[in-house]
Amino acid sequence: MAKNRIVLGCQWGDEGKGKIVDLLAAEADIIARFQGGANAGHTIVVDDRKYKFHLLPSGILHEGKQCVIGNGVVLDPFGIKEELDVLVENGISYRDRLWISPAANLVLPYHKLIDAVQEHSRGTANLGTTKRGIGPAYVDKVARHGIRLVDLFAPERLKKRLEFQRTIKEQYFTGSDDERTDLDRTYRELLQLADLFRPLVIDVSRYINEAIDSGKTILYEGAQGSLLDVDLGTYPFATSSNTTVGGALTGLGIGPRAIDEVIGVVKAYTTRVGAGPFPTELVDDMGDRLRNQGDEFGTTTGRPRRCGWLDLVALRHVVRLNGVDAIAVTKLDVLDGLDELKVCHAYDLDGKIITDVPLDLARLNEVKPVYTSLPGWSEDTTGILSFADLPANARAYLEYIAADLKVEIKMVSTGAKRKEIIMV
Ligand code: GDP
Ligand code: IMO
Ligand code: MG
């Protein structure tokens, strides 16, 4: 019987979750996003067409599959409309197969303004956010003055809640001529969107639980990466949601038995976009080589991604946090042609060798990586479809990772395209 699976990023995001979700979606009935917002950028390449999704679940390209956005997501109503328009332009229908929780908090124009202003005030200590308003929207949610999707259907309540923003966000609104502080306009524009969302709103918790009871299969799609988790990641250099497995439970209203298998997506090396500790970062020619070869530029912001070797110490931590059962290794092809590959198996902290992350994760910026060197391969692995056809050293690299993390490798991605995959 097919399993209810969750796909999570195991590093700092951009591991290739979109591609893996798109592939696994073929075996699922429902694909559900549960946290994050339009800070996510998930790429799917089908033949020569590239799709980039920020809010829409990566199963949306499969006609007939149901897609769900849970209460844990912060929803940019204007952003999602743009994504839906692109779908329609491409002849893909979302009618009767996209469902959204009414309890999803909205990301509104003023959240993006506040995100930018706060980043500016942090100066050189900025977090390097995507400026998509994610942090300020989650702040409002937790402070209990957020605006939810359901408020679009109660205009009077919506008006009052918007007006209240002027009071509590005085420092951003008073005297500002930024059009994102124009609440009357936001109000009008939101009301115009109400009819778009009305038919999409359902009780997501009930929908998923009933689907499971009737034998349907769910695929839960994580956004960001586990090391960006607001509780368990490299705080404060994190995003504002729980990107780890628990986020799916609270973000959709499901119990732990609604997940049968945890699949971690691991890029064959490491990248990070934005600020924060990154022990194996390479600020040399090798870092540039990974960036160019891997086309490591942000899907959402276009920023160059920081690149470095694989970090097994950080990955062990992430496997434990999520109870990862199996991994999907992506972008193996990017390592083609290197004489030597390094993997970090321990850290040196104040002259002491440690094999786990420091108690204070902020100290990750003080550790020095301790590397094992593995031989590379000269062959082109792009598009290889079976594990046995990989060069011996590529297999050895993958087996080394699986043995260290004590997980099985379920998939190996050998190119950006949908077809370029090894199902192990
Ligand atoms: P996500 O946020 O985890 O979905 O990942 P992104 O889409 O932001 O970034 C991953 C990038 O790598 C995208 O441009 C993908 O098209 C690309 N990609 C995914 N898998 C592979 C692979 O195996 N090889 C190569 N060369 N590119 C890949
Ligand atoms: P996907 O789903 C990579 C990073 C930002 C910044 C930090 C906080 O495509 O893997 P935020 O805007 O969330 O307040 O920014 O988190 N970040 C991501 N990095 N991939 C993502 O999503 C990210 N979403 C947020 O760069 O460092
Ligand atoms: Mg991405």
Side-chain angles (χ1 to χ4, degrees), residues 1 14 22 30-32 36 51 57 111 119 130 171 199 217 222 241 262 269 275 277 344 356 390 398 409 419-420:
M1 206 179 80
D14 302 328
D22 168 66
I30 300 172
I31 300 89
Y51 297 88
H111 290 123
E119 276 289 86
T130 59
Q171 71 177 116
T217 305
S241 66
V262 180
Y269 47 98
C344 168
D356 211 331
L390 286 173
L398 294 169
I409 295 182
K419 288 185 187 139
E420 294 169 327

Side-chain angles (χ1 to χ4, degrees), residues 9 13-21 39-45 50-53 58 221-224 265 267 269 271 293-300 305 329-334 382 412-417 420-421:
D14 302 328
E15 297 88 350
K17 298 174 292 295
K19 168 169 175 171
I20 299 299
V21 169
N39 48 349
H42 296 180
T43 316
I44 302 170
V45 186
K50 192 186 258 194
Y51 297 88
K52 294 177 182 183
F53 296 120
S58 297
E221 175 179 5
Q224 289 77 56
V265 186
K267 197 180 281 190
Y269 47 98
T271 62
Q293 198 79 14
D295 194 19
E296 295 294 356
F297 296 89
T299 308
T300 299
R305 295 175 183 148
V329 179
T330 58
K331 305 193 95 160
L332 184 73
D333 54 294
V334 175
T382 311
V412 180
S413 176
T414 54
K417 292 183 181 163
E420 294 169 327
I421 192 80

Side-chain angles (χ1 to χ4, degrees), residues 3-16:
K3 288 176 174 174
N4 299 317
R5 295 168 168 146
I6 182 164
V7 172
L8 298 164
C10 288
Q11 291 146 321
W12 281 286
D14 302 328
E15 297 88 350

Side-chain angles (χ1 to χ4, degrees), residues 182-202:
D182 185 344
L183 292 175
D184 296 330
R185 176 178 164 161
T186 299
Y187 177 68
R188 279 195 311 275
E189 291 179 350
L190 282 176
L191 288 187
Q192 281 166 12
L193 287 183
D195 286 344
L196 170 73
F197 289 109
R198 209 184 305 273
L200 309 183
V201 169
I202 58 162

Side-chain angles (χ1 to χ4, degrees), residues 8 34-36 138 223-225 228-232 239-248 250:
L8 298 164
F34 54 84
Q35 48 68 233
Y138 276 116
Q224 289 77 56
L228 287 170
D229 185 284
V230 67
D231 288 293
L232 302 162
T239 190
S240 297
S241 66
N242 286 116
T243 59
T244 47
V245 70
T250 53

Side-chain angles (χ1 to χ4, degrees), residues 39-336:
N39 48 349
H42 296 180
T43 316
I44 302 170
V45 186
V46 187
D47 303 322
D48 289 323
R49 180 85 177 77
K50 192 186 258 194
Y51 297 88
K52 294 177 182 183
F53 296 120
H54 301 287
L55 281 159
L56 290 176
S58 297
I60 198 82
L61 295 180
H62 295 263
E63 300 260 356
K65 303 287 176 184
Q66 303 291 307
C67 290
V68 168
I69 298 177
N71 57 276
V73 170
V74 283
L75 189 85
D76 174 349
F78 306 104
I80 197 170
K81 178 170 186 314
E82 281 175 25
E83 287 187 52
L84 292 174
D85 290 345
V86 173
L87 277 190
V88 172
E89 279 162 26
N90 282 280
I92 301 163
S93 167
Y94 65 88
R95 284 276 162 226
D96 297 326
R97 64 184 200 94
L98 174 67
W99 311 109
I100 312 180
S101 165
N105 272 253
L106 299 185
V107 179
L108 294 174
Y110 51 82
H111 290 123
K112 294 185 201 172
L113 169 69
I114 296 171
D115 198 348
V117 171
Q118 289 180 339
E119 276 289 86
H120 183 73
S121 6
R122 288 181 188 117
T124 53
N126 69 43
L127 307 178
T129 74
T130 59
K131 300 209 176 98
R132 292 298 182 276
I134 304 299
Y138 276 116
V139 165
D140 279 358
K141 164 177 162 167
V142 176
R144 293 154 297 174
H145 49 236
I147 292 175
R148 293 170 149 203
L149 185 57
V150 70
D151 296 328
L152 260 54
F153 315 126
E156 280 312 307
R157 186 168 76 194
L158 176 65
K159 199 174 187 67
K160 272 197 203 126
R161 295 211 164 151
L162 273 173
E163 277 310 317
F164 186 59
Q165 303 300 319
R166 212 189 296 278
T167 317
I168 48 173
K169 295 183 171 57
E170 208 185 336
Q171 71 177 116
Y172 302 104
F173 279 75
T174 308
S176 172
D177 56 6
D178 191 297
E179 61 179 22
R180 291 171 290 186
T181 61
D182 185 344
L183 292 175
D184 296 330
R185 176 178 164 161
T186 299
Y187 177 68
R188 279 195 311 275
E189 291 179 350
L190 282 176
L191 288 187
Q192 281 166 12
L193 287 183
D195 286 344
L196 170 73
F197 289 109
R198 209 184 305 273
L200 309 183
V201 169
I202 58 162
D203 181 335
V204 163
S205 166
R206 223 171 99 183
Y207 180 74
I208 294 185
N209 280 287
E210 287 178 1
I212 293 175
D213 289 346
S214 67
K216 296 240 162 54
T217 305
I218 323 293
L219 179 62
Y220 306 100
E221 175 179 5
Q224 289 77 56
S226 295
L227 293 168
L228 287 170
D229 185 284
V230 67
D231 288 293
L232 302 162
T234 49
Y235 190 90
F237 299 98
T239 190
S240 297
S241 66
N242 286 116
T243 59
T244 47
V245 70
L249 309 193
T250 53
L252 290 163
I254 53 168
R257 280 178 293 280
I259 302 174
D260 302 310
E261 188 179 24
V262 180
I263 300 176
V265 186
V266 176
K267 197 180 281 190
Y269 47 98
T270 313
T271 62
R272 174 164 205 170
V273 56
F278 181 175
T280 60
E281 181 172 15
L282 294 165
V283 280
D284 56 10
D285 290 350
M286 185 56 76
D288 292 342
R289 189 208 172 276
L290 290 173
R291 184 174 312 104
N292 293 328
Q293 198 79 14
D295 194 19
E296 295 294 356
F297 296 89
T299 308
T300 299
T301 58
R303 291 178 291 175
R305 295 175 183 148
R306 301 156 66 193
C307 297
W309 297 119
L310 195 73
D311 185 344
L312 288 172
V313 185
L315 283 171
R316 281 177 217 139
H317 169 70
V318 165
V319 165
R320 190 173 48 235
L321 291 178
N322 291 297
V324 169
D325 295 302
I327 57 172
V329 179
T330 58
K331 305 193 95 160
L332 184 73
D333 54 294
V334 175
L335 301 179
D336 292 351

